[in-house]
Amino acid sequence: MRHLALIISASTPRATDGAVENQARDLVVAIYMAALGVALVVGPPLPIALALLVLAAALAALSPVAATAVVAASTPFIFHPVLIGGAQFTLLELSLLAGGFGLAVRLAAATLSHRLTALLRVLIGDWPTSAAAVFLITLGSLSLLTVADRRHLPESVRDLRVVIVEPIVALVLARWSLRHGGARTLVIGLLGAGSVVALVALVQVLTGRGEVIGNGVGRATGPYPHPNNLALYLERVGLFAAALVLVDRRWRRVVIPIALLVAAGLAATLSRGAMLAVIAGGALLLGMTRPARGWRWLGLAAVLVVLLFAATAGDRLFSTGTSGTTSSRELIWRASLQMVRDHPVFGVGLDQFLYQYAPRYVDPAGWPERYTSHPHNLILDVWLRLGLAGLVLLAGVVYICIRDIRRLRGAAERSDQRRLAVAGAALLVGGATHGLVDNAFFLPDLAVLTWIAVALIEPVPSGTPPLTGTAG
C-alpha cells in the first residue's frame, strides 16, 4: 500500500513540502489503524481490545483523513464480525465510530480556536445533500413506529443504525478529507482493498475453494457470503478505477493494473447484473470523457463479454433461477408489488421484507429464493422500507445526483475535483443500474460507498478550503 502511495505521488503534480508531509503522515496513520483492525479481528482479551479501540480513536483524531481511508478499505468485510466483550461489531462500524470521534475532537478544537463556522461549512457541504441525509434518518426513525411485524422490531432498529445512521458518517468524513488534501489517501484505501478482494476472488476460482457452485459453474464470493454481494462491491471499485484511468493520465501507471485485477475478480462472480452496471457506468464515462472511438470500444467489449459469458457459463447466463420458466427476479417483483398493495403508505419497515415474503408472498415456483431479504429493485426496496415518503426522498436524491453530474460537464476539464467527481459518478451510476435488479443501497458497504461517491460529486461550497489544501 505504501508503494502504491509513492507511485501515485510521483505520478501527480508536485505538491508543497507541507502537503507531502501531511499526506505521508495520513498514510502512516491509516496503516496503523488498519493494523489495529487486524489485531481486533484476532479476538484479544477485553482489556486489550478496549485499549486498541482507544488508540484507534486517538489516531482518528490525529488524522480524520486516515480514518476516512480506513472506512473505505473496511467496506468489503462487513460479514466478518469482531467480538468485543460479548458484543458484535464489524470493522466498518468500528472505523466509522473512530472517524466520528476524530471529527468530534476536531469540532471541539475548532470551537476553542474560534474556527467552528469554517469547519461546519466543510462538514455540512452541499446543503440539499445534507438535508436529504437528515430526512433519511428521520424517515428511518419514524418507520420504526409502523413496522409490519413488531416481533422483528430489533432487526429494524439494527438496520437503522448500520445502514442509515452510521454510513452518513462516511459522507461527513469524505467531505473533510476532500477539503483537506486527503483525496489520494482515500483513493489508496478504496483501491487497495478492492485489489485485495479481487485477488482473493481469483484465488478462490483457481483453487476451487470458497465459491458457490451455480448452474454447473463456480462463482467467487471473496469475503462475502454470496457472489452477488461480491459483484455489487467490485463493480463499484472497478468503475471508480476505470474512471481514474480515463480522466487522468497521471494515475494510469498504477491504476491500470488495479482496474484489470478488479475486472478479473468481477468476472469471477459471473454476475449478470454486474454486466449491466459496467455497461451503464462505462457509457457515463464515455459521455463525460469523450475518448476517440470510445463508443465502438464499449460496444465491442459488451459483445465480447456476453459471448465469453455464454461460452463459459451459458447455463448461468440464461438460467431463470426457479423451477419454472419465469425468472426468480420476476417472481420476487410480483410478490413485492403485492406487498406494496397491502402496505402502500408506510411499507413494511426496515429489514422486514424477509419476514413478510417467506410466510405470505413467495410463489411456489420461486421457492429456492424464499429466503431473499429484499425486493431486488431499488424503487420497490425504498417503498417497502420507508413508504411513500421514501419514494419522495429517492426522487430528490436522484435529482441532486443528476444535477451534480450534469454540472461536471461544464467544470474545468483538468481540475482534480472534476476527475474524482467523474469517478464518483461512475460508481453511483453503475451501482444504481445494478440496483434495479438487485440491492443498491441497503447494506452497510453499499451505503458507505454511495455516500462517499455523493461527497465526490457534490459542488464545493464557497469559502471552503481547496481540494489540494493541507491535510488534517
Side-chain angles (χ1 to χ4, degrees):
M1 185 176 291
R2 188 173 181 84
H3 179 63
L4 173 61
L6 293 174
I7 294 177
I8 290 177
S9 297
S11 304
T12 49
R14 183 173 299 172
T16 64
D17 291 341
V20 171
E21 291 177 0
N22 284 325
Q23 290 165 7
R25 180 204 63 190
D26 292 332
L27 181 61
V28 170
V29 173
I31 292 173
Y32 284 152
M33 292 186 68
L36 293 176
V38 173
L40 286 170
V41 171
V42 174
L46 180 59
I48 296 179
L50 293 177
L52 294 175
L53 290 175
V54 170
L55 181 56
L59 291 174
L62 174 64
S63 174
V65 167
T68 309
V70 172
V71 166
S74 60
T75 51
F77 306 108
I78 60 171
F79 291 100
H80 298 271
V82 177
L83 297 178
I84 301 177
Q88 184 172 290
F89 305 92
T90 66
L91 288 177
L92 177 59
E93 187 172 17
L94 294 175
S95 62
L96 287 169
L97 293 175
F101 174 82
L103 285 180
V105 171
R106 290 305 183 98
L107 281 171
T111 302
L112 295 175
S113 60
H114 305 289
R115 294 185 296 108
L116 181 61
T117 301
L119 180 56
L120 287 177
R121 189 179 294 117
V122 172
L123 299 183
I124 293 174
D126 183 47
W127 75 263
T129 302
S130 296
V134 172
F135 191 26
L136 176 60
I137 294 176
T138 302
L139 282 183
S141 302
L142 291 176
S143 73
L144 300 180
L145 303 176
T146 59
V147 294
D149 190 339
R150 303 294 296 181
R151 294 174 300 175
H152 296 285
L153 180 60
E155 286 85 346
S156 294
V157 173
R158 181 185 181 279
D159 213 45
L160 174 66
R161 174 170 60 87
V162 302
V163 175
I164 292 181
V165 176
E166 290 175 357
I168 291 176
V169 177
L171 169 67
V172 182
L173 281 169
R175 284 170 170 169
W176 171 281
S177 295
L178 296 175
R179 302 285 78 76
H180 291 82
R184 295 174 190 171
T185 310
L186 173 59
V187 170
I188 290 170
L190 182 61
L191 296 187
S195 301
V196 172
V197 170
L199 184 60
V200 170
L202 290 176
V203 170
Q204 286 180 336
V205 170
L206 294 174
T207 61
R209 298 179 179 179
E211 82 272 18
V212 171
I213 303 299
N215 307 111
V217 292
R219 304 177 62 197
T221 61
Y224 288 96
H226 195 278
N228 288 348
N229 293 111
L230 176 61
L232 289 166
Y233 169 74
L234 285 181
E235 72 193 13
R236 287 160 166 81
V237 178
L239 286 169
F240 187 88
L244 293 180
V245 171
L246 286 175
V247 301
D248 196 339
R249 293 181 179 179
R250 301 169 301 176
W251 294 88
R252 292 178 182 174
R253 182 167 52 149
V254 64
V255 178
I256 285 179
I258 292 175
L260 293 175
L261 176 61
V262 172
L266 181 60
T269 68
L270 294 177
S271 169
R272 293 169 291 186
M275 288 195 298
L276 298 176
V278 170
I279 291 172
L284 174 74
L285 288 177
L286 294 182
M288 301 291 289
T289 60
R290 301 186 183 94
R293 296 183 294 276
W295 293 104
R296 295 180 183 178
W297 285 112
L298 179 63
L300 177 62
V303 171
L304 289 177
V305 168
V306 172
L307 291 177
L308 182 62
F309 200 133
T312 59
D315 290 341
R316 165 67 187 159
L317 182 61
F318 302 108
S319 171
T320 64
T322 68
S323 58
T325 58
T326 305
S327 73
S328 60
R329 290 293 190 273
E330 184 178 346
L331 294 176
I332 293 172
W333 293 337
R334 289 177 183 175
S336 299
L337 288 172
Q338 183 58 52
M339 205 180 297
V340 164
R341 295 187 190 100
D342 294 342
H343 305 271
V345 178
F346 300 111
V348 297
L350 295 172
D351 200 23
Q352 293 289 309
F353 184 87
L354 170 65
Y355 311 109
Q356 297 297 311
Y357 179 69
R360 298 178 180 87
Y361 296 96
V362 63
D363 188 291
W367 193 247
E369 296 285 342
R370 62 189 179 280
Y371 295 119
T372 186
S373 60
H374 60 97
H376 289 74
N377 176 270
L378 174 60
I379 297 172
L380 292 172
D381 207 2
V382 171
W383 196 345
L384 286 170
R385 290 176 189 264
L386 299 173
L388 289 175
L391 293 181
V392 174
L393 174 61
L394 177 62
V397 171
V398 170
Y399 171 80
I400 292 171
C401 292
I402 291 176
R403 177 207 66 178
D404 293 342
I405 292 173
R406 291 184 63 184
R407 174 187 55 82
L408 294 175
R409 302 189 66 176
E413 287 293 321
R414 302 189 66 82
S415 70
D416 286 342
Q417 181 194 350
R418 183 185 182 275
R419 294 182 181 107
L420 286 174
V422 170
L427 189 159
L428 275 179
V429 170
T433 301
H434 196 166
L436 295 177
V437 295
D438 207 316
N439 208 328
F441 179 82
F442 292 100
L443 284 171
D445 57 335
L446 303 185
V448 165
L449 291 174
T450 298
W451 284 121
I452 289 176
V454 168
L456 288 170
I457 70 170
E458 69 179 3
V460 180
S462 60
T464 57
L467 182 67
T468 54
T470 58

